[in-house]
């Protein structure tokens, strides 16, 4: 090798070392950038006529453990699913109130029970009746609020689905654009490491929102698919489509999430979208089912008891709450008693109806209307109405041994003639307006069932506390609850069911929070492993700079030596 060849070799070393130093500096500068993979300069010997004449940069690459990265992509999807579920359920649980909070449903039920206990001692007290109705009204209002919170949470979740779909579409478009640029640069033999890092981050954004599968083509393009095998990115991006729904309620139907016009809602498992869909369609509606079960049991239990009684003094007119058509079949047995009474409870007329003789609702209405001094009909709203023709007399009812329909309800309960609550789910339950307007209509006692009751006899009294006692007992009586939401079939009191409902929900939230924490740790561990293998290690980069500095100095020394040799040669010739 002559001096000129040696000079060329040393210069190529300087250039390669300088380029390697710039890449190492770039690595150090991006040490804290998430997703950045440390780049490495690959050098190769250059040859001329079969002889080594120097060194050159052959490529710049970044090492990525693909198997480790695939595991991380999957873990990210699982983590965001768990975290999204935990976040939304925790928000909803906050609306329920803490288990030991005074706003908890069980405490409100206890308040009602306490008020009913007081009423059983002083059934004639209008103040105590008002306390009972206020307690019942607060309990119903709380159930209404919780039902509203549940549906509002579903609406929020539905809006989040639309936002997540938008985020996914932006990431898919980014992958498409990066694919195009990476493919061109790969064909030209140019460095694509930074672009591939950006594409990997876009893929992680997609996986944060949904489970995906993917592979890299021989042209270095990334193709992404749903778990059902539909393309999200191939030669182009295929965007998801979804519009959220406003004013969500328990019976709202939601649009499908579509991909190229196909419903893919069930293929978007995992990630934020998968969690949101499950929350909206299954997990949160389960909470509504539980509240509805409690509200229905509360209304049915107390209404059944209150309908065995009658107010003192009796009402001039009574309107049922249940809706019927006159032609509806009426299957009943036993006797139903109707008494016209004055304000002191003295009987003015008494009629016992044999229910087995009536085939339709209209037949019963006609029989009631046929009683002297009584008018009855099915009104325009489908409610049974019973009216005393004499404004100074009231209508007092006794279910006696009546049994109507498959549930064997008493007549009054069947038609809702003396209900405490109207509505049969958590969203609609409320105390009957007439009772809130006039607490004296709250029944505490029963109409006499004496077979010899006659005109002039006392049919009911203000001091009768039999119904008030029965209401109190009903609050402590176990009820058979069917499966509802996450609550299995059980037999509990109203208070115990409400406490179990809240406790069960709190345990579920605690469980999903623990899952989110566990899966988050797994993701963090995988991210750390990737960083250790592919990320920037400042100590290693600093050491590499020292090596490069020494290489550069050595190459420079060679050039300096060659310069000296040239100078000596020139001097010798001169």
């Amino acid at each position: 090798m002559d001096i000129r060849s040696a000079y060329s070799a040393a210069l190529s070393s300087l250039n390669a070392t300088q380029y390697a130093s710039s890449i190492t500096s770039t690595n150090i500068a991006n040490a804290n950038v998430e997703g950045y993979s440390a780049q490495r300069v690959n050098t190769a010997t250059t040859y001329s006529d079969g002889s080594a004449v120097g060194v050159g940069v052959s490529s710049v690459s970044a090492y990525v453990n693909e198997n480790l990265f695939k595991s991380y992509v999957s873990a990210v999807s699982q983590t965001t699913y768990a975290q999204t579920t935990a976040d939304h359920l925790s928000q909803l649980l906050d609306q329920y109130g803490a288990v030991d909070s005074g706003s908890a449903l069980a405490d409100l039920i206890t308040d009602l029970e306490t008020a009913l206990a007081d009423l059983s001692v002083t059934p004639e007290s209008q103040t105590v009746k008002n306390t009972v109705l206020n307690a019942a009204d607060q309990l119903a209002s709380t159930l209404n609020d919780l039902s509203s919170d549940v549906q509002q949470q579903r609406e929020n979740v539905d809006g989040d689905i639309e936002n997540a779909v938008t985020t996914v579409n932006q990431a898919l478009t980014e992958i498409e654009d990066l694919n195009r640029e990476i493919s061109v640069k790969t064909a030209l033999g140019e460095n694509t490491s930074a672009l591939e890092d950006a594409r990997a981050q876009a893929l992680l954004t997609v996986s944060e929102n949904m489970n995906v599968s993917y592979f890299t083509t021989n042209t270095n393009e990334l193709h992404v698919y749903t778990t059902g095998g539909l393309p999200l990115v191939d030669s182009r991006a295929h965007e998801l489509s979804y519009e959220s729904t406003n004013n969500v309620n328990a019976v709202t139907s939601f649009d499908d999430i579509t991909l190229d016009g196909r419903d893919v809602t069930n293929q978007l498992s995992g990630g934020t979208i998968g969690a949101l869909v499950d929350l909206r369609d299954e997990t949160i509606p389960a909470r509504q089912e539980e509240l509805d079960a409690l509200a229905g049991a509360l209304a049915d239990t107390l209404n059944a008891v209150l309908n065995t009684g009658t107010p003192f003094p009796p009402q001039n007119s009574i309107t049922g709450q249940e809706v019927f058509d006159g032609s509806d079949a009426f299957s009943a047995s036993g006797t139903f008693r109707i008494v016209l009474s004055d304000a002191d409870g003295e009987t003015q007329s008494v009629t016992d109806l044999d229910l087995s003789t009536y085939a339709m609702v209209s037949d019963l209405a006609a029989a009631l209307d046929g009683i002297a001094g009584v008018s009855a009909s099915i009104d325009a709203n489908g409610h049974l109405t019973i009216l005393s023709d004499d404004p100074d007399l009231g209508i007092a009812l006794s279910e006696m041994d009546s049994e109507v329909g498959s549930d064997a309800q008493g007549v009054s309960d069947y038609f809702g003639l003396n209900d405490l609550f109207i509505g049969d789910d958590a969203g609609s339950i409320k105390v009957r307006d007439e009772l809130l307007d006039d607490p004296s209509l709250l029944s505490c006692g029963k109409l006499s069932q004496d077979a010899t009751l006659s005109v002039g006899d006392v049919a009911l009294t203000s001091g009768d506390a039999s119904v008030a006692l029965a209401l109190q007992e009903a609050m402590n009586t176990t009820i058979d609850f069917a499966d509802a939401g996450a609550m299995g079939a059980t037999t509990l009191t109203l208070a115990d069911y409400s406490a179990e409902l809240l406790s069960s929900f709190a345990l579920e939230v605690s469980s999903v929070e623990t899952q989110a924490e566990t899966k988050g740790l797994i993701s963090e561990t995988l991210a750390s492993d990737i960083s250790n293998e592919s990320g920037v290690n400042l100590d290693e980069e600093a050491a590499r700079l020292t090596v490069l500095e020494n290489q550069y100095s050595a190459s420079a020394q060679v050039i300096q030596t060659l310069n000296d040799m040239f100078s000596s040669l020139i001097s010798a010739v001169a």
Side-chain angles (χ1 to χ4, degrees):
M1 177 181 290
D2 56 24
I3 293 177
R4 186 180 300 280
S5 296
Y7 190 89
S8 177
L11 185 60
S12 70
S13 176
L14 282 177
N15 289 334
T17 304
Q18 184 179 24
Y19 188 77
S21 296
S22 70
I23 294 297
T24 301
S25 297
T26 300
N27 287 340
I28 293 173
N30 287 276
N32 294 321
V33 176
E34 183 179 358
Y36 179 82
S37 298
Q39 299 183 53
R40 296 287 178 263
V41 174
N42 303 309
T43 58
T45 302
T46 57
Y47 293 89
S48 178
D49 295 330
S51 299
V53 294
V55 66
V57 175
S58 60
S59 65
V60 178
S61 62
Y63 171 72
V64 176
N65 185 324
E66 289 296 336
N67 289 331
L68 186 59
F69 185 73
K70 279 184 177 290
S71 296
Y72 181 53
V73 168
S74 176
V76 164
S77 183
Q78 295 177 37
T79 298
T80 53
Y81 180 96
Q83 289 176 339
T84 300
T85 302
D87 289 345
H88 282 281
L89 289 185
S90 179
Q91 291 172 20
L92 184 57
L93 181 61
D94 287 343
Q95 304 300 319
Y96 276 59
V99 175
D100 58 354
S101 168
S103 62
L105 285 171
D107 292 329
L108 295 175
I109 291 175
T110 299
D111 291 343
L112 178 56
E113 180 185 343
T114 300
L116 287 171
D118 292 340
L119 184 64
S120 67
V121 177
T122 55
E124 69 283 353
S125 171
Q126 299 304 307
T127 299
V128 176
K129 287 182 179 181
N130 191 58
T131 300
V132 168
L133 293 171
N134 285 339
D137 186 49
Q138 185 176 359
L139 176 55
S141 295
T142 299
L143 285 167
N144 297 160
D145 291 342
L146 288 174
S147 177
S148 177
D149 290 337
V150 166
Q151 297 310 319
Q152 183 60 56
Q153 192 73 9
R154 291 181 76 211
E155 184 174 323
N156 294 343
V157 164
D158 192 50
D160 288 346
I161 293 175
E162 182 176 350
N163 293 336
V165 165
T166 299
T167 298
V168 167
N169 287 338
Q170 291 171 344
L172 295 176
T173 300
E174 184 178 0
I175 292 173
E176 176 190 10
D177 294 340
L178 288 167
N179 271 346
R180 189 177 299 111
E181 189 173 358
I182 289 170
S183 178
V184 171
K185 286 185 177 292
T186 298
L188 296 174
E190 298 179 9
N191 179 19
T192 62
S193 298
L195 294 175
E196 289 179 36
D197 284 345
R199 188 174 65 182
Q201 288 302 304
L203 175 62
L204 285 173
T205 297
V206 176
S207 69
E208 286 174 355
N209 289 280
M210 55 186 287
N211 276 332
V212 294
S213 61
Y214 65 92
F215 68 91
T216 304
T217 69
N218 56 9
T219 58
N220 204 8
E221 291 183 327
L222 182 68
H223 286 192
V224 186
Y225 296 84
T226 68
T227 55
L230 296 178
L232 292 166
V233 180
D234 44 23
S235 59
R236 65 179 181 86
H238 300 260
E239 295 189 351
L240 301 171
S241 179
Y242 185 70
E243 290 187 7
S244 58
T245 303
N246 295 322
N247 302 317
V248 171
N249 57 51
V251 296
T252 296
S253 295
F254 298 95
D255 292 339
D256 298 327
I257 302 174
T258 60
L259 177 65
D260 293 335
R262 297 179 61 176
D263 177 13
V264 294
T265 307
N266 293 332
Q267 293 187 34
L268 306 185
S269 59
T272 299
I273 295 178
L276 293 172
V277 170
D278 287 346
L279 282 164
R280 184 196 66 185
D281 297 344
E282 298 179 14
T283 311
I284 297 179
R287 304 282 81 79
Q288 184 69 58
E289 291 177 15
E290 293 164 3
L291 292 172
D292 289 346
L294 177 60
L298 175 68
D300 291 345
T301 299
L302 296 191
N303 285 348
V305 174
L306 198 64
N307 273 289
T308 64
T310 193
F312 181 90
Q315 301 166 261
N316 182 256
S317 66
I318 300 172
T319 300
Q321 301 300 314
E322 300 297 332
V323 177
F324 296 92
D325 186 273
S327 61
D328 288 342
F330 184 73
S331 176
S333 62
T335 302
F336 180 54
R337 173 168 289 181
I338 304 93
V339 168
L340 285 174
S341 165
D342 62 20
D344 295 324
E346 185 174 307
T347 302
Q348 305 302 309
S349 74
V350 55
T351 304
D352 290 342
L353 299 178
D354 180 1
L355 300 177
S356 63
T357 61
Y358 312 122
M360 296 187 298
V361 168
S362 59
D363 294 338
L364 175 64
L368 291 168
D369 191 56
I371 298 173
V374 174
S375 298
S377 65
I378 303 298
D379 67 18
N381 296 317
H383 301 142
L384 175 63
T385 63
I386 308 172
L387 172 69
S388 169
D389 297 334
D390 185 341
D392 293 328
L393 299 180
I395 301 284
L397 306 175
S398 173
E399 292 185 323
M400 303 292 279
D401 60 348
S402 59
E403 293 184 355
V404 186
S406 58
D407 292 332
Q409 293 174 269
V411 169
S412 185
D413 187 31
Y414 185 74
F415 287 97
L417 297 173
N418 192 23
D419 283 350
L420 173 59
F421 293 106
I422 59 174
D424 55 5
D425 58 39
S428 63
I429 189 172
K430 60 178 292 189
V431 175
R432 187 158 54 94
D433 289 337
E434 291 90 342
L435 293 175
L436 293 174
D437 293 339
D438 184 1
S440 68
L441 297 180
L442 181 64
S443 301
C444 293
K446 296 182 179 181
L447 176 67
S448 171
Q449 296 187 6
D450 190 337
T452 62
L453 183 69
S454 303
V455 174
D457 292 341
V458 175
L460 65 160
T461 65
S462 63
D464 185 358
S466 56
V467 171
L469 283 167
L471 287 169
Q472 181 190 2
E473 291 174 1
M475 297 295 293
N476 288 301
T477 300
T478 57
I479 299 169
D480 291 331
F481 288 88
D483 290 341
M487 296 280 287
T490 186
T491 301
L492 296 169
T493 65
L494 290 167
D496 287 344
Y497 186 84
S498 63
E500 181 65 22
L501 180 155
L502 180 56
S503 177
S504 174
F505 188 16
L507 286 174
E508 180 179 355
V509 172
S510 177
S511 176
V512 295
E513 287 177 340
T514 299
Q515 291 178 28
E517 182 178 353
T518 300
K519 293 185 180 299
L521 289 174
I522 294 173
S523 293
E524 290 175 7
T525 300
L526 289 170
S528 178
D529 291 343
I530 290 174
S531 179
N532 290 337
E533 290 199 23
S534 306
V536 176
N537 184 309
L538 290 175
D539 291 338
E540 290 180 2
E541 298 299 329
R544 186 171 289 108
L545 273 180
T546 299
V547 172
L548 292 171
E549 181 182 3
N550 291 336
Q551 289 177 350
Y552 193 89
S553 296
S555 297
Q557 184 63 44
V558 170
I559 291 176
Q560 181 62 51
T561 300
L562 291 173
N563 284 337
D564 291 343
M565 292 174 66
F566 268 115
S567 296
S568 297
L569 180 60
I570 292 172
S571 297
V573 173

